[in-house]
Amino acid sequence: MEKRMLKLYSKSGTVPLKVVKGHFATNHSHINYYIDITTLKTRLSEAESAAKELVHHYLSSAVVDTIVCLDGTEVIGTCLASELTHSGFMSLNSHRTIYVVTPEYNSNSQLLFRDNIQPMIEGKHVLILMASVTTGKTISKSIECVQYYGGTVEGLAAVYSNIKTAGGLPVHSVFTPDDLPDYASYDVHECPYCKAGQRIEALVNSFGYSKL
C-alpha cells in the first residue's frame, strides 16, 4: 500500500498529507482512505506549518489556557501554543502560558486525567487537538472528559476532519472533505467493501497501521 500512497498539500502549499485509498478498519468504523499523519506529528518543520495553518482560527476569538493533545499530536500542540502566545500576534493569548497535556485511557477506553494534571483542566479554557476526526465519537468523548474535570472547551482542531461540528462547536482543520471528496466512513455492518467481499488491508488508528 506504500506504493499507492499519494501526497496532498494544504491550500497554502506548506502542509503535506499522505493518503492511500483502500479498505481499512478503525475502532469505530471502516474507511476507504488511510490518512498518514506520521511526519506531521513528528517532524518539527511540518508540525510548525500545521500549527500556523490552525492558529488564525483562535487568535482573536478564544482564550486558551490548555491544549489537550490526542492521537500523538503533542509536537503540533506545542507549536500551536507557541504560535498563540507569540507577541507579534493580535491575540487574546499573547504573553499567556499555555499548558500542553495528553489524557490517558483506562481499560474501558475512557479518557482520564491524573490528579497532578487535573489543575491544568479544571477552570481552564481548553482547546482539543486531534490528528484526524472521522465519525466524531472520539472528539465527543474528549469534550465530555474535559467538562467532567471542570474545563470549558473553547475550540476543536484537527489536521484532517470529516465533520464540521461536534458538541455544538466548529471543528477547524487543515484538511477537509474538499481535499478528499470521495472519503467515506461506514458502520462495520454496512460497509460496502465487506459486502462485496473485498478484504480489509490494514487495521488503522492514531499510531499508524498494521497490515492484514
PDB file of all heavy atoms in Angstrom, residues 55-63 84 89-93:
ATOM      1  N   VAL A  55      -3.703  28.292  13.633  1.00  0.00           N
ATOM      2  CA  VAL A  55      -3.688  29.314  14.685  1.00  0.00           C
ATOM      3  C   VAL A  55      -4.649  30.472  14.415  1.00  0.00           C
ATOM      4  O   VAL A  55      -5.222  31.045  15.356  1.00  0.00           O
ATOM      5  CB  VAL A  55      -2.247  29.841  14.902  1.00  0.00           C
ATOM      6  CG1 VAL A  55      -1.791  30.683  13.709  1.00  0.00           C
ATOM      7  CG2 VAL A  55      -2.154  30.637  16.197  1.00  0.00           C
ATOM      8  N   HIS A  56      -4.875  30.841  13.145  1.00  0.00           N
ATOM      9  CA  HIS A  56      -5.687  32.031  12.870  1.00  0.00           C
ATOM     10  C   HIS A  56      -7.139  31.862  13.311  1.00  0.00           C
ATOM     11  O   HIS A  56      -7.849  32.845  13.493  1.00  0.00           O
ATOM     12  CB  HIS A  56      -5.620  32.396  11.385  1.00  0.00           C
ATOM     13  CG  HIS A  56      -6.294  31.432  10.475  1.00  0.00           C
ATOM     14  ND1 HIS A  56      -5.670  30.309   9.975  1.00  0.00           N
ATOM     15  CD2 HIS A  56      -7.559  31.406   9.964  1.00  0.00           C
ATOM     16  CE1 HIS A  56      -6.515  29.641   9.205  1.00  0.00           C
ATOM     17  NE2 HIS A  56      -7.664  30.280   9.183  1.00  0.00           N
ATOM     18  N   HIS A  57      -7.579  30.601  13.508  1.00  0.00           N
ATOM     19  CA  HIS A  57      -8.947  30.376  13.964  1.00  0.00           C
ATOM     20  C   HIS A  57      -9.144  30.792  15.427  1.00  0.00           C
ATOM     21  O   HIS A  57     -10.280  30.978  15.868  1.00  0.00           O
ATOM     22  CB  HIS A  57      -9.314  28.902  13.824  1.00  0.00           C
ATOM     23  CG  HIS A  57      -9.348  28.409  12.408  1.00  0.00           C
ATOM     24  ND1 HIS A  57     -10.293  28.826  11.495  1.00  0.00           N
ATOM     25  CD2 HIS A  57      -8.539  27.538  11.749  1.00  0.00           C
ATOM     26  CE1 HIS A  57     -10.077  28.229  10.334  1.00  0.00           C
ATOM     27  NE2 HIS A  57      -9.031  27.444  10.457  1.00  0.00           N
ATOM     28  N   TYR A  58      -8.042  30.923  16.157  1.00  0.00           N
ATOM     29  CA  TYR A  58      -8.156  31.118  17.605  1.00  0.00           C
ATOM     30  C   TYR A  58      -7.461  32.382  18.116  1.00  0.00           C
ATOM     31  O   TYR A  58      -7.515  32.672  19.302  1.00  0.00           O
ATOM     32  CB  TYR A  58      -7.564  29.900  18.333  1.00  0.00           C
ATOM     33  CG  TYR A  58      -8.149  28.607  17.836  1.00  0.00           C
ATOM     34  CD1 TYR A  58      -7.437  27.799  16.950  1.00  0.00           C
ATOM     35  CD2 TYR A  58      -9.432  28.208  18.204  1.00  0.00           C
ATOM     36  CE1 TYR A  58      -7.983  26.622  16.461  1.00  0.00           C
ATOM     37  CE2 TYR A  58      -9.986  27.039  17.721  1.00  0.00           C
ATOM     38  CZ  TYR A  58      -9.261  26.249  16.849  1.00  0.00           C
ATOM     39  OH  TYR A  58      -9.810  25.095  16.360  1.00  0.00           O
ATOM     40  N   LEU A  59      -6.849  33.146  17.227  1.00  0.00           N
ATOM     41  CA  LEU A  59      -6.080  34.307  17.673  1.00  0.00           C
ATOM     42  C   LEU A  59      -6.934  35.342  18.392  1.00  0.00           C
ATOM     43  O   LEU A  59      -6.561  35.853  19.442  1.00  0.00           O
ATOM     44  CB  LEU A  59      -5.371  34.955  16.484  1.00  0.00           C
ATOM     45  CG  LEU A  59      -4.141  34.209  15.957  1.00  0.00           C
ATOM     46  CD1 LEU A  59      -3.606  34.903  14.717  1.00  0.00           C
ATOM     47  CD2 LEU A  59      -3.063  34.141  17.033  1.00  0.00           C
ATOM     48  N   SER A  60      -8.075  35.672  17.825  1.00  0.00           N
ATOM     49  CA  SER A  60      -8.873  36.762  18.395  1.00  0.00           C
ATOM     50  C   SER A  60     -10.241  36.310  18.880  1.00  0.00           C
ATOM     51  O   SER A  60     -11.046  37.130  19.296  1.00  0.00           O
ATOM     52  CB  SER A  60      -9.054  37.872  17.355  1.00  0.00           C
ATOM     53  OG  SER A  60      -9.696  37.370  16.198  1.00  0.00           O
ATOM     54  N   SER A  61     -10.499  34.998  18.843  1.00  0.00           N
ATOM     55  CA  SER A  61     -11.837  34.525  19.181  1.00  0.00           C
ATOM     56  C   SER A  61     -11.917  33.743  20.471  1.00  0.00           C
ATOM     57  O   SER A  61     -13.017  33.504  20.977  1.00  0.00           O
ATOM     58  CB  SER A  61     -12.376  33.636  18.039  1.00  0.00           C
ATOM     59  OG  SER A  61     -11.537  32.510  17.859  1.00  0.00           O
ATOM     60  N   ALA A  62     -10.788  33.318  21.014  1.00  0.00           N
ATOM     61  CA  ALA A  62     -10.849  32.463  22.199  1.00  0.00           C
ATOM     62  C   ALA A  62      -9.600  32.610  23.053  1.00  0.00           C
ATOM     63  O   ALA A  62      -8.492  32.769  22.538  1.00  0.00           O
ATOM     64  CB  ALA A  62     -11.020  31.003  21.790  1.00  0.00           C
ATOM     65  N   VAL A  63      -9.803  32.574  24.364  1.00  0.00           N
ATOM     66  CA  VAL A  63      -8.691  32.454  25.298  1.00  0.00           C
ATOM     67  C   VAL A  63      -8.408  30.961  25.453  1.00  0.00           C
ATOM     68  O   VAL A  63      -9.316  30.160  25.648  1.00  0.00           O
ATOM     69  CB  VAL A  63      -9.038  33.068  26.664  1.00  0.00           C
ATOM     70  CG1 VAL A  63      -7.957  32.746  27.686  1.00  0.00           C
ATOM     71  CG2 VAL A  63      -9.221  34.571  26.530  1.00  0.00           C
ATOM     72  N   LEU A  84       0.175  30.783  19.415  1.00  0.00           N
ATOM     73  CA  LEU A  84      -0.875  31.532  20.110  1.00  0.00           C
ATOM     74  C   LEU A  84      -0.311  32.589  21.058  1.00  0.00           C
ATOM     75  O   LEU A  84      -0.912  33.654  21.247  1.00  0.00           O
ATOM     76  CB  LEU A  84      -1.771  30.575  20.898  1.00  0.00           C
ATOM     77  CG  LEU A  84      -2.787  29.762  20.089  1.00  0.00           C
ATOM     78  CD1 LEU A  84      -3.381  28.657  20.949  1.00  0.00           C
ATOM     79  CD2 LEU A  84      -3.894  30.668  19.576  1.00  0.00           C
ATOM     80  N   PHE A  89       1.471  38.634  17.423  1.00  0.00           N
ATOM     81  CA  PHE A  89       0.082  38.500  17.004  1.00  0.00           C
ATOM     82  C   PHE A  89      -0.842  39.374  17.848  1.00  0.00           C
ATOM     83  O   PHE A  89      -0.589  39.618  19.017  1.00  0.00           O
ATOM     84  CB  PHE A  89      -0.391  37.044  17.130  1.00  0.00           C
ATOM     85  CG  PHE A  89       0.231  36.121  16.137  1.00  0.00           C
ATOM     86  CD1 PHE A  89       0.966  35.033  16.557  1.00  0.00           C
ATOM     87  CD2 PHE A  89       0.076  36.327  14.778  1.00  0.00           C
ATOM     88  CE1 PHE A  89       1.542  34.168  15.644  1.00  0.00           C
ATOM     89  CE2 PHE A  89       0.646  35.462  13.851  1.00  0.00           C
ATOM     90  CZ  PHE A  89       1.380  34.390  14.289  1.00  0.00           C
ATOM     91  N   MET A  90      -1.935  39.827  17.245  1.00  0.00           N
ATOM     92  CA  MET A  90      -3.006  40.460  17.996  1.00  0.00           C
ATOM     93  C   MET A  90      -3.858  39.325  18.560  1.00  0.00           C
ATOM     94  O   MET A  90      -4.874  38.949  18.005  1.00  0.00           O
ATOM     95  CB  MET A  90      -3.834  41.378  17.097  1.00  0.00           C
ATOM     96  CG  MET A  90      -4.917  42.162  17.861  1.00  0.00           C
ATOM     97  SD  MET A  90      -4.230  43.299  19.089  1.00  0.00           S
ATOM     98  CE  MET A  90      -3.445  44.487  17.998  1.00  0.00           C
ATOM     99  N   SER A  91      -3.396  38.751  19.645  1.00  0.00           N
ATOM    100  CA  SER A  91      -4.002  37.537  20.176  1.00  0.00           C
ATOM    101  C   SER A  91      -4.460  37.726  21.615  1.00  0.00           C
ATOM    102  O   SER A  91      -3.802  38.398  22.414  1.00  0.00           O
ATOM    103  CB  SER A  91      -3.006  36.378  20.118  1.00  0.00           C
ATOM    104  OG  SER A  91      -3.488  35.260  20.821  1.00  0.00           O
ATOM    105  N   LEU A  92      -5.598  37.096  21.943  1.00  0.00           N
ATOM    106  CA  LEU A  92      -6.064  37.100  23.323  1.00  0.00           C
ATOM    107  C   LEU A  92      -5.116  36.319  24.225  1.00  0.00           C
ATOM    108  O   LEU A  92      -5.185  36.422  25.442  1.00  0.00           O
ATOM    109  CB  LEU A  92      -7.474  36.485  23.406  1.00  0.00           C
ATOM    110  CG  LEU A  92      -8.597  37.214  22.676  1.00  0.00           C
ATOM    111  CD1 LEU A  92      -9.895  36.409  22.765  1.00  0.00           C
ATOM    112  CD2 LEU A  92      -8.818  38.603  23.266  1.00  0.00           C
ATOM    113  N   ASN A  93      -4.225  35.534  23.617  1.00  0.00           N
ATOM    114  CA  ASN A  93      -3.330  34.672  24.379  1.00  0.00           C
ATOM    115  C   ASN A  93      -1.902  35.213  24.472  1.00  0.00           C
ATOM    116  O   ASN A  93      -1.022  34.533  24.994  1.00  0.00           O
ATOM    117  CB  ASN A  93      -3.284  33.286  23.737  1.00  0.00           C
ATOM    118  CG  ASN A  93      -4.656  32.652  23.677  1.00  0.00           C
ATOM    119  OD1 ASN A  93      -5.152  32.138  24.656  1.00  0.00           O
ATOM    120  ND2 ASN A  93      -5.284  32.716  22.512  1.00  0.00           N
TER     121      ASN A  93
END
